[in-house]
Amino acid sequence: MRAPTMNNLDLVAPAAPDELCGRVDDLFRQRFGGAPDGVWMAPGRVNLIGEHIDYIGASVMPFALPYATAVAVRVHNEDRVRLASTGHQDHWEGGGADIGPHRPNGWAGYVAGVPWAMTYHDTIARIPGLDIAVHSSVPQGAGLSSSAALETATALAIAELFGAATDDSGRRTLARDCITAENVVVGAATGGMDQSAALRARAGHVMLLDCNTFGVEHLKLDCRPAGVVFLVINTNAPHRLVEGSYGLRRSRVERVCARIGRSALLHTDDVDAVLNCARTDDPPLRRALRHVLTEIRRVSAVADLLRADEIAAIGPHLSASHASLRDDLVVSSPELDTAVDAALDAGALGARMIGGGFGGSALALVRTERLPDVIEAVGRAALDHRLPKPDFLCGIPSGAARRVY
Ligand code: ADP
Ligand code: MG
């Protein structure tokens, strides 16, 4: 999985599947005794472009990362779900009656919520007895979707163990179940991009995901022949008021988009004319709408460039997306702006914050030979601005959730 050009740099190496599986198998045996029925893994993701438009049913472009979450799972006949993770000290154990809306709390909700949601949607008949161990190389809370990796690895395991479909249409169903788990059991807002990416991505491709129909077009993202790489920058910024701020921006977007017909929102070329249709003088609302309208059009432009195999040419669209998120929707942060500016100053072809905003990670498109300079510049800028030291990860477009053994 590791691109040779990325060796010897200050990059977090993606864990080899063998290593992930070895660690999760060890934890399983220590905690529960005996062997699991199998091990499944699911990837984290980045979103190439299309931010704050998933929940209004527009198209977004996620691709899976070579960092993944592995779950070792065993089915048994008791009414008990037992969970352990190398990522958290606290273990969890409960019966079917202990799982439901807003329970269990904490990380266990992301795992136990999955069989609950699969039962709720009739994908399986009842919550089975389960022992589940978890180990991950996806950083948690960095905007790289460790939550969806955890949910989807669990969902795929349960689906395979109970004979539910796992072809593309089965995976669509599993994505829906994972969204329900996160919305209802965890109580977090998620639009479905992350779960769809983890379950349906293709190595070497980016997904053009229609968040209205959940239809997918896989577009080739062949970096090596183009001489470019994607660099993921985890700013390690502390979360600040994330939920409240995200919710405010989202409701602003939803409110103003409700005034515009879907066809104008998605297709009309004249952005100013559509803006005027919204009949609002409220500057934040008007700017939120401008972000949505321009972002939807940037997604189309990037998709067209990728269909023409013009990866390097998408850079300016990534940077324009960042400027729009920073200036129009106002969801960036000093850490994200510093990283993006430093990457661009050091010669990145394009860079942008990814995810809902107010922290998390950024993505830069870089000519391979410029990668050391960009990494050095972004690290130095964080130091100069007294910001947390970022981590650098490899943005290699990777495959979807799968059974390892
Ligand atoms: P992101 O999905 O961007 O990483 P979220 O806040 O949506 O951030 O999800 C992070 C949460 O998911 C963690 O706080 C934890 O509750 C859960 N989680 C993710 N990975 C693991 C893991 N390996 N073990 C246990 N819990 C995990
Ligand atoms: Mg998440």
Side-chain angles (χ1 to χ4, degrees):
M1 268 312 203
R2 209 166 158 183
T5 48
M6 287 187 168
N7 285 342
N8 308 320
L9 291 173
D10 186 16
L11 283 163
V12 179
D18 282 357
E19 188 195 326
L20 274 184
C21 294
R23 290 285 302 276
V24 81
D25 192 275
D26 285 350
L27 175 66
F28 187 95
R29 287 165 196 272
Q30 270 168 28
R31 184 74 197 154
F32 305 121
D37 294 336
V39 171
W40 288 258
M41 58 187 260
R45 64 98 191 91
V46 288
N47 186 22
L48 180 58
I49 194 157
E51 223 60 83
H52 277 274
I53 58 172
D54 53 337
Y55 51 77
I56 55 154
S59 292
V60 296
M61 298 188 79
F63 66 85
L65 292 172
Y67 305 86
T69 297
V71 295
V73 181
R74 183 171 62 202
V75 179
H76 55 74
N77 290 325
E78 297 161 59
D79 176 29
R80 270 354 255 158
V81 175
R82 287 185 279 260
L83 309 176
S85 169
T86 56
H88 287 262
Q89 295 289 327
D90 52 324
H91 307 302
W92 186 82
E93 175 170 345
D98 299 316
I99 308 170
H102 299 287
R103 60 183 205 278
N105 284 326
W107 74 269
Y110 292 91
V111 189
V114 171
W116 180 87
M118 292 174 81
T119 309
Y120 176 84
H121 287 298
D122 275 335
T123 307
I124 55 171
R126 63 180 173 81
I127 298 179
L130 294 165
D131 293 337
I132 303 181
V134 179
H135 176 69
S136 183
S137 65
V138 186
Q140 294 181 38
L144 303 178
S145 240
S146 68
S147 57
L150 182 53
E151 293 152 8
T152 55
T154 305
L156 188 67
I158 296 172
E160 290 200 359
L161 290 167
F162 286 88
T166 59
D167 58 355
D168 191 59
S169 137
R171 284 168 181 252
R172 261 167 113 134
T173 302
L174 296 179
R176 176 208 58 194
D177 295 349
C178 292
I179 295 164
T180 298
E182 189 156 337
N183 287 163
V184 178
V185 178
V186 177
T190 177
M193 162 171 52
D194 307 347
Q195 293 79 3
S196 302
L199 282 160
R200 301 171 67 196
R202 267 191 207 160
H205 292 74
V206 62
M207 293 165 70
L208 180 61
L209 173 70
D210 179 329
C211 293
N212 190 35
T213 62
F214 286 97
V216 167
E217 184 186 351
H218 295 278
L219 301 173
K220 206 149 70 104
L221 203 55
D222 213 353
C223 294
R224 197 174 296 210
V228 296
V229 288
F230 286 104
L231 175 68
V232 181
I233 305 160
N234 172 7
T235 62
N236 285 314
H239 283 267
R240 337 181 172 78
L241 300 173
V242 173
E243 286 301 322
S245 310
Y246 173 83
L248 179 67
R249 296 310 188 281
R250 181 170 171 159
S251 71
R252 206 175 264 166
V253 165
E254 286 170 334
R255 210 149 26 104
V256 72
C257 289
R259 301 178 182 190
I260 309 283
R262 193 166 166 76
S263 166
L265 199 60
L266 297 186
H267 305 300
T268 304
D269 285 334
D270 188 345
V271 165
D272 288 330
V274 184
L275 268 172
N276 290 332
C277 287
R279 289 187 303 278
T280 176
D281 294 327
D282 180 43
L285 267 192
R286 210 177 154 80
R287 286 204 299 266
L289 179 57
R290 189 165 59 189
H291 166 73
V292 168
L293 293 170
T294 55
E295 187 77 350
I296 287 171
R297 283 143 189 85
R298 282 186 286 273
V299 171
S300 296
V302 166
D304 285 344
L305 286 168
L306 293 181
R307 287 188 195 101
D309 243 339
E310 300 271 4
I311 299 189
I314 71 173
H317 294 293
L318 305 186
S319 304
S321 170
H322 183 80
S324 177
L325 287 157
R326 182 191 60 209
D327 303 335
D328 276 348
L329 203 56
V330 198
V331 295
S332 191
S333 71
E335 294 85 356
L336 290 163
D337 289 341
T338 302
V340 165
D341 290 347
L344 292 173
D345 286 348
L349 297 167
R352 60 180 290 268
M353 55 158 281
I354 57 166
F358 310 104
S361 297
L363 181 69
L365 177 65
V366 182
R367 286 210 187 281
T368 308
E369 68 273 12
R370 304 290 300 176
L371 189 60
D373 295 342
V374 171
I375 289 177
E376 214 267 321
V378 173
R380 188 161 19 84
L383 198 65
D384 290 348
H385 289 79
R386 297 171 185 269
L387 299 172
K389 184 175 177 338
D391 285 324
F392 299 99
L393 291 88
C394 313
I396 302 168
S398 301
R402 64 185 174 91
R403 185 174 196 155
V404 188
Y405 66 79

